[in-house]
């Protein structure tokens, strides 16, 4: 008897389910899995499996959308089937991977706690799906966006031993972004007992840096002093505390903390001094922009005195603040002098200067900066978002032709334009009265599958075509008209010789 090969695209789990279905549908006396009793039935089932594997595969985006539709359905009071069983009924053939889980959760932002049913279905009913720390992080972030921290607590307790550093970082980040610093500290206190997370200096740094980045430097400093007997802070935590006070723009508090740290025997790194430099520049921009470089020089001299070297971040801070006060020429000169301190520009440096040059209407220099950025090896940093920023600046200064050139360059570099880019360009083209070019962009977006909707755009009166005024030919003067004009002129001449009475004088009687 010739044996049939099972196609490799059928997973072991799917094969078990299909064969279980066939065995249950057949009579108990004749088993379809026995080749001696019924070889034709086995051949029929394997041909069905081969045809099943040759069916066109559904795109992952459509699968994610269908799962999200189930999650977004409101749960009735007396459901015939719970959500977990419905998922098992409809999606048992789907191969779940971390990307599909992420797409599903992004499409079901209003699902609430229904995502926990999806997690229970994957962890209990699907033994072929292995959820690790990175996959569980997506559920924590989804619940954190909805500010359902009680559900996060239950979720982490249920997945104790599987959830790791990524879940811990996601939970801390969501608590801080929700403006709950006291809950973050309480979460750190019971993390080892309740969730099985490791309580060490690395986890302390995660909490302190999250608090400092979102404006809770005072809470972070008190928290570090509370746990100092158990976990002594290192230089990275001290740098994070200094950055936190600078984020709050409290320069005096940052200076106080720098003094305490140096007296304690710690050495601050370049990142802490970059934060001080940025804080000084921000305060000067608000009060007196002309003192930006004067005050910045004090911090730079202090860095040289202490022995802290400058890095690319130092120059990025200076260039960024110079560009914000429209001192583009000084920023370009500083960019050219970076090599004197042994520093090379990075992608952020090129992007900052390109934006500033475009804002100053120095178009050719901005294009040259993009070419220099690509030749330096930072071309991958030019993504869709960066190009959209360039196009927006050029449209803002009414350089629509050059914005279209940057748009073409964006497509050549492999960046697919989105709805916002097409809407911006079409609106500006219609405002300039170039409706044909705007319609061409609209059809191009439709061909590429970009969901652009037609809108009524107004033409800017500055660029509207003024109607041509037809000059009427002067009427030919007839002889009576000519004689009347002559009499009027002679009468004016005669009256010009008559002496006019002075104003305020009266004739005496």
């Amino acid at each position: 008897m010739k044996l049939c090969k099972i196609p490799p695209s059928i997973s072991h789990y799917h094969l078990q389910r299909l064969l279980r279905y066939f065995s249950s549908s057949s009579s108990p006396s004749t088993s379809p899995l026995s080749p001696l009793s019924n070889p034709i039935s086995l051949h029929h089932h394997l041909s069905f499996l081969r045809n099943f594997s040759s069916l066109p595969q559904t795109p992952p985006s459509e699968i994610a959308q269908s799962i999200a539709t189930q999650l977004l359905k409101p749960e009735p009071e007396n459901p015939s089937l719970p959500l977990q069983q419905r998922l098992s009924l409809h999606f048992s053939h789907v191969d779940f991977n971390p990307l599909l889980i992420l797409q599903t959760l992004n499409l079901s932002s209003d699902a609430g706690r229904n995502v926990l049913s999806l997690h229970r279905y994957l962890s209990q009913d699907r033994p072929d799906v292995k959820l690790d720390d990175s996959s569980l992080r997506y559920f924590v972030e989804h619940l954190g966006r909805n500010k359902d921290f009680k559900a996060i607590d239950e979720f982490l307790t249920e997945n104790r031993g599987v959830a790791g550093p990524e879940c811990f970082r996601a939970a801390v980040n969501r608590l801080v972004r929700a403006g709950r610093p006291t809950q973050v500290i309480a979460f750190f206190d019971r993390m080892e007992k309740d969730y099985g997370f490791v309580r060490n200096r690395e986890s302390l740094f995660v909490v302190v840096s999250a608090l400092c980045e979102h404006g809770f430097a005072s809470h972070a400093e008190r928290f570090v002093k509370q746990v100092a007997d158990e976990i002594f802070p290192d230089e990275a935590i001290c740098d994070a505390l200094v950055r936190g006070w600078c984020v709050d723009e409290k320069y005096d508090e940052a200076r106080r903390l720098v003094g305490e740290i140096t007296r304690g025997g710690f050495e601050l790194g370049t990142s802490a001094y970059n934060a001080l430099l940025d804080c000084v520049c921000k305060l000067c921009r608000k009060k007196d922009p002309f003192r930006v470089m004067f005050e910045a020089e004090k911090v730079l001299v202090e860095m040289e005195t202490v022995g802290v070297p400058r890095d690319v971040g130092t120059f990025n801070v200076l260039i960024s603040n110079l560009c914000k006060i429209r001192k583009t020429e000084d920023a370009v000169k500083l960019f050219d002098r970076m090599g004197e301190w042994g520093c090379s520009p990075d992608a952020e440096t090129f992007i900052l200067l390109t934006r500033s040059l475009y804002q100053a209407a120095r178009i050719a220099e901005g294009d040259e900066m993009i070419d220099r950025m690509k030749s330096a090896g930072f071309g991958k940093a030019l993504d869709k978002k960066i190009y959209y920023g360039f196009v927006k600046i050029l449209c803002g200064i009414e350089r629509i032709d050059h914005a279209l050139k940057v748009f073409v360059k964006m497509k050549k570099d492999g960046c697919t334009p989105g709805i916002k880019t097409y809407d911006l360009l079409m609106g500006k083209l219609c405002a300039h009265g170039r409706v044909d070019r705007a319609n061409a962009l609209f059809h191009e977006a439709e061909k590429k599958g970009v969901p652009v909707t037609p809108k009524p755009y107004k033409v800017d009166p500055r660029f509207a075509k003024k109607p041509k005024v037809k000059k009427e030919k002067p009427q030919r003067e007839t002889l009576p008209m000519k004689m009347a004009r002559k009499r009027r002129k002679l009468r004016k001449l005669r009256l010009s010789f008559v002496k006019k009475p002075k104003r305020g004088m009266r004739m005496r009687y």
Side-chain angles (χ1 to χ4, degrees):
M1 182 182 66
K2 185 184 289 185
L3 296 177
C4 298
K5 292 184 179 180
I6 299 173
S9 60
I10 301 294
S11 65
H12 179 69
Y13 175 72
H14 297 151
L15 182 63
Q16 280 184 343
R17 291 184 66 88
L18 286 169
L19 293 179
R20 194 182 302 120
Y21 168 75
F22 292 139
S23 63
S24 62
S25 61
S26 62
S27 62
S29 59
T30 59
S31 173
L33 301 180
S34 174
L36 296 176
S37 60
N38 197 354
I40 300 175
S41 177
L42 178 62
H43 178 74
H44 173 72
H45 293 331
L46 291 176
S47 64
F48 174 79
L49 288 175
R50 191 181 299 108
N51 294 333
F52 178 78
S53 66
S54 63
L55 291 175
Q57 297 294 325
T58 309
S61 58
E62 295 183 10
I63 298 174
Q65 184 62 55
S66 58
I67 300 172
T69 304
Q70 292 289 334
L71 295 176
L72 290 170
K73 282 183 180 178
E75 196 73 19
E77 294 182 359
N78 297 316
S80 57
L81 282 176
L83 178 58
Q84 184 176 345
Q85 294 184 11
R86 276 185 285 155
L87 293 172
S88 179
L89 180 65
H90 293 291
F91 305 106
S92 59
H93 64 284
V94 175
D95 273 333
F96 281 90
N97 52 29
L99 180 60
L100 180 61
I101 294 172
L102 178 61
Q103 289 178 347
T104 304
L105 294 177
N106 289 338
L107 292 171
S108 54
S109 57
D110 298 330
R113 294 195 179 187
N114 284 346
V115 298
L116 296 177
S117 299
L118 174 63
H119 167 258
R120 293 191 189 100
Y121 161 67
L122 294 175
S123 59
Q124 297 174 6
D125 300 345
R126 292 293 299 270
D128 60 316
V129 179
K130 303 298 181 184
L131 295 175
D132 55 357
D133 185 24
S134 60
S135 303
L136 295 177
R137 175 174 62 92
Y138 301 142
F139 292 95
V140 175
E141 289 182 348
H142 182 277
L143 295 171
R145 282 193 291 268
N146 295 327
K147 297 183 180 180
D148 193 353
F149 298 108
K150 187 175 181 181
I152 290 179
D153 180 71
E154 297 174 359
F155 180 82
L156 293 176
T157 306
E158 184 179 346
N159 292 277
R160 181 189 175 99
V162 181
E166 293 192 24
C167 288
F168 170 72
R169 193 176 292 107
V172 168
N173 187 31
R174 286 296 165 183
L175 279 168
V176 174
R177 292 176 66 176
R180 305 186 182 187
T182 54
Q183 291 190 20
V184 174
I185 296 171
F187 180 80
F188 183 84
D189 291 336
R190 54 190 174 84
M191 57 181 282
E192 194 169 15
K193 179 182 177 183
D194 294 351
Y195 313 119
F197 295 140
V198 180
R199 183 183 168 107
N200 53 15
R201 188 176 284 114
E202 285 75 16
S203 57
L204 176 63
F205 176 73
V206 169
V207 175
V208 171
S209 59
L211 287 170
C212 292
E213 286 174 6
H214 294 86
F216 300 106
S218 59
H219 291 80
E221 187 175 351
R222 286 198 300 268
F223 173 56
V224 169
K225 290 178 179 178
Q226 287 175 5
V227 299
D229 295 336
E230 178 187 355
I231 305 172
F232 196 72
D234 58 356
E235 295 178 359
I237 295 175
C238 294
D239 288 353
L241 290 173
V242 174
R243 288 198 304 270
W245 285 116
C246 293
V247 168
D248 293 346
E249 296 183 3
K250 295 182 179 179
Y251 188 69
D252 295 336
E253 293 291 335
R255 277 295 176 190
R256 173 193 59 80
L257 187 61
V258 168
E260 292 181 5
I261 291 171
T262 52
R263 285 192 298 271
F266 290 99
E267 293 183 0
L268 288 174
T270 310
S271 60
Y273 278 100
N274 290 345
L276 289 170
L277 185 64
D278 192 25
C279 183
V280 165
C281 294
K282 283 180 181 178
L283 294 174
C284 288
R285 282 194 289 113
K286 289 182 178 179
K287 296 180 181 179
D288 188 3
F290 295 102
R291 291 181 61 86
V292 167
M293 287 308 297
F294 178 74
E295 296 293 337
E297 283 292 335
K298 293 181 181 179
V299 181
L300 294 174
V301 169
E302 183 182 351
M303 289 176 66
E304 292 180 2
T305 306
V306 178
V308 177
R310 301 183 190 183
D311 62 353
V312 187
T314 310
F315 286 96
N316 287 344
V317 168
L318 292 171
I319 290 172
S320 174
N321 284 281
L322 286 171
C323 292
K324 286 177 182 177
I325 59 175
R326 296 294 183 267
K327 289 193 174 183
T328 308
E329 189 63 33
D330 294 343
V332 172
K333 289 179 181 177
L334 188 62
F335 170 77
D336 294 333
R337 293 182 58 195
M338 287 179 65
E340 297 179 12
W341 284 271
C343 296
S344 300
D346 59 356
E348 185 182 354
T349 317
F350 287 108
I351 291 168
L352 287 171
L353 280 172
T354 307
R355 285 174 180 164
S356 184
L357 289 168
Y358 279 153
Q359 284 175 346
R362 298 163 66 169
I363 308 298
E365 295 180 55
D367 293 342
E368 183 185 353
M369 195 61 65
I370 292 178
D371 295 337
R372 289 178 66 177
M373 179 178 177
K374 291 180 181 178
S375 62
F378 299 108
K380 293 182 179 179
L382 291 169
D383 56 0
K384 181 170 65 174
K385 185 177 179 181
I386 300 298
Y387 269 118
Y388 172 74
F390 295 159
V391 172
K392 189 175 181 180
I393 290 170
L394 291 168
C395 290
I397 62 173
E398 305 299 342
R399 298 294 195 276
I400 185 64
D401 290 326
H402 201 80
L404 291 172
K405 291 180 182 178
V406 174
F407 178 71
V408 172
K409 191 181 296 186
M410 171 184 182
K411 293 186 288 186
K412 282 184 179 178
D413 289 345
C415 300
T416 306
I419 305 173
K420 294 172 70 176
T421 311
Y422 279 107
D423 278 343
L424 177 65
L425 287 172
M426 287 191 296
K428 276 295 175 182
L429 286 169
C430 290
H432 282 246
R434 301 166 65 177
V435 183
D436 296 337
R437 188 72 180 90
N439 288 333
L441 275 181
F442 179 77
H443 295 313
E444 177 187 330
E446 279 189 333
K447 286 181 182 179
K448 291 186 177 181
V450 180
V452 180
T453 55
K455 299 176 184 178
Y457 296 104
K458 292 183 180 179
V459 180
D460 196 325
R462 295 176 298 169
F463 307 105
K465 293 182 180 179
K466 297 179 181 179
K468 294 182 179 179
V469 180
K470 293 183 179 179
K471 294 183 179 179
E472 296 181 359
K473 292 182 179 180
Q475 189 178 1
R476 186 173 181 180
E477 199 173 23
T478 60
L479 182 60
M481 294 169 64
K482 187 176 181 180
M483 295 303 295
R485 180 173 57 79
K486 194 173 182 179
R487 284 194 297 270
R488 286 195 302 270
K489 190 172 183 181
L490 288 171
R491 185 170 178 273
K492 287 181 181 179
L493 286 171
R494 283 196 304 269
L495 290 174
S496 65
F497 291 104
V498 178
K499 190 176 182 180
K500 307 291 189 299
K502 291 184 179 181
R503 187 178 297 177
M505 293 182 66
R506 296 183 180 179
M507 295 180 65
R508 295 180 180 178
Y509 296 100

